[in-house]
Amino acid sequence: MSTPPSPPPGPGHSWPPPPPRQGWGPPPGYGQHPPALNGFALASLLSGLLCLPPLGIAFGIAALVQITKRGDRGKALAIVGLVVSVVMTGAMVFAAGRVLSSIDDRVESLHAYADVEGELTDLGDLRAGDCFNVPGGDLIDERPATYRIDCAQVHHGEVTAAKVLDGPDVPESREADRASEDACWKAQDEYAMDTWALPEYAEMFYYAPSRQSWHQGDRMLLCVIGTTDEEWRGSLRRDAAMLKPGQSAFLRAANTVEFVVSRPPDGDVEDVLPEYRAWAREVHTALGAEANLLQGDAALPGMEKAVPAQLREIEAARAQWQRASLARTPEEFDKAWDRARAAMSLETEKALRGAYGLSTVIPQWLQDSGGGPDDRDDGSGEGPSSESA
């Protein structure tokens, strides 16, 4: 056995010698590169933000696959890019659907416009006597495109009046609408005086300024007879110049009565009795004017029976309208109103119109009203119908 050597002499030495001190070495992995950022992850986010979301979806999926295999960095970035791309793709699909729908509507609209016969004319340039067509036959549009055409051709509407408004009423208010309706009914009664001769499907329309167009200087009120339910050719005009003086005078008086009777006050009798009494006085006065005219025509040939019969009914009705104008309660007014309506007969008026050489076809709208109290204030106007745009 060998003996270890003795330690060298001198202080500060020991044996065996201590192990060498361990210094700071490089950390584990020193000298290796960190995982690279996956390029598809960044491309996915950028594509989603730059309006290329379908491409961003593809990049995001590719990024997640590569990150799983290679251990690249950017998983969170790839997920965010994928989510953004999916959301943006959905938004693009929705927007594209809206655009395509709008294009389809415009194409259909263009087809409708292409099928309209006539010369495109601004609504404000139409005048009384003009006939026109509108796309789809829709006269209820606020301001439809109008195509002027000869009245001998099939048309949708015929202008009875083009009036300049100067009233203080605010456009689109109830007062302004009522004033426009009244003006156009009166214009129609002057344009087509024999109201019994109008087609059953004829309707009154009017086009008044809106609040916006009023502030821009629009003051035009256009009154129209619409015949869109069936094909109609020819003008409906039959004014005083196209009638005999006796015919136009009678029709003007009869139309005035018809107009006043058809325009009772708004509201129930119980709520506005004074207004109804004033209305009854107007009807009484209008019937008196018709009676005076008939008395002057009573001696004309062919009037011997028709005129006296109508005068008797008018006087009976006037008596009831006078009672209504003095009614102290709504019940008294209603009773007088019902009796006044019952006093007038359509058959008697039919005979009178025949004596004047006018239409004797009782309009359906008069037959439907029938003089009953349930139909007297339905607000339908004096003609077949009243439509406003």
Side-chain angles (χ1 to χ4, degrees):
M1 173 180 294
S2 60
T3 302
S6 299
H13 294 280
S14 61
W15 192 263
R21 295 182 181 179
Q22 184 175 1
W24 291 102
Y30 178 77
Q32 297 179 1
H33 294 290
L37 176 65
N38 189 277
F40 281 124
L42 182 60
S44 175
L45 180 60
L46 293 177
S47 297
L49 295 175
L50 297 177
C51 300
L52 297 171
L55 194 58
I57 293 175
F59 286 159
I61 295 173
L64 291 175
V65 171
Q66 288 187 357
I67 290 171
T68 302
K69 291 182 177 180
R70 301 178 184 176
D72 293 344
R73 290 185 298 118
K75 183 175 182 180
L77 190 63
I79 293 174
V80 172
L82 184 60
V83 171
V84 170
S85 298
V86 169
V87 172
M88 292 297 292
T89 299
M92 287 185 63
V93 170
F94 177 77
R98 294 291 297 271
V99 171
L100 290 175
S101 177
S102 176
I103 292 175
D104 289 341
D105 292 342
R106 292 187 179 184
V107 170
E108 291 179 3
S109 178
L110 290 174
H111 283 307
Y113 278 75
D115 293 338
V116 181
E117 294 186 6
E119 180 183 357
L120 182 61
T121 306
D122 188 83
L123 190 68
D125 293 333
L126 296 175
R127 293 295 178 263
D130 286 343
C131 294
F132 63 91
N133 288 318
V134 294
D138 187 3
L139 289 170
I140 304 181
D141 282 351
E142 181 178 347
R143 196 173 182 85
T146 50
Y147 292 74
R148 184 160 45 197
I149 193 171
D150 191 301
C151 291
Q153 305 297 318
V154 175
H155 55 272
H156 296 139
E158 182 171 352
V159 180
T160 60
K163 297 176 174 290
V164 177
L165 299 174
D166 55 3
D169 292 331
V170 178
E172 299 180 3
S173 65
R174 174 55 187 158
E175 294 76 14
D177 290 343
R178 177 87 175 209
S180 296
E181 282 186 29
D182 289 351
C184 285
W185 276 126
K186 291 177 181 179
Q188 181 167 304
D189 286 345
E190 285 296 317
Y191 187 88
M193 298 189 75
D194 191 354
T195 59
W196 285 27
L198 287 172
E200 293 291 346
Y201 51 88
E203 298 177 290
M204 191 278 280
F205 294 82
Y206 69 87
Y207 302 94
S210 64
R211 291 178 186 270
Q212 180 179 0
S213 66
W214 181 271
H215 293 305
Q216 295 172 349
D218 181 15
R219 296 294 185 274
M220 183 63 68
L221 171 66
L222 200 73
C223 306
V224 172
I225 302 178
T227 51
T228 59
D229 288 348
E230 296 185 24
E231 289 190 354
W232 176 261
R233 290 180 174 86
S235 174
L236 294 170
R237 188 171 204 157
R238 201 175 182 197
D239 55 17
M242 304 171 69
L243 298 168
K244 297 177 181 178
Q247 291 176 325
S248 61
F250 164 72
L251 287 173
R252 187 168 285 118
N255 288 343
T256 299
V257 172
E258 194 174 79
F259 174 81
V260 175
V261 170
S262 70
R263 308 301 274 175
D266 291 332
D268 297 330
V269 180
E270 293 81 1
D271 300 328
V272 289
L273 180 58
E275 295 182 21
Y276 274 89
R277 286 200 296 254
W279 171 60
R281 288 192 291 272
E282 292 181 16
V283 179
H284 181 270
T285 300
L287 284 171
E290 182 179 353
N292 289 336
L293 182 139
L294 292 177
Q295 288 170 357
D297 291 348
L300 295 177
M303 299 290 187
E304 298 85 355
K305 294 182 179 180
V307 168
Q310 184 76 354
L311 282 172
R312 285 192 295 271
E313 292 188 0
I314 288 177
E315 290 308 316
R318 292 188 73 213
Q320 296 302 324
W321 283 113
Q322 187 174 26
R323 288 191 178 93
S325 69
L326 301 173
R328 292 170 296 179
T329 65
E331 291 75 19
E332 289 182 14
F333 188 94
D334 282 336
K335 289 180 180 179
W337 189 357
D338 293 340
R339 290 170 181 165
R341 290 172 57 83
M344 303 291 290
S345 166
L346 290 176
E347 291 299 325
T348 302
E349 184 174 357
K350 175 181 176 180
L352 179 64
R353 285 175 174 263
Y356 275 106
L358 302 170
S359 174
T360 57
V361 179
I362 301 175
Q364 188 63 45
W365 55 270
L366 272 178
Q367 297 181 43
D368 292 341
S369 65
D374 292 338
D375 299 318
R376 62 193 172 197
D377 61 342
D378 59 0
S380 61
E382 61 174 277
S385 68
S386 172
E387 299 288 347
S388 63

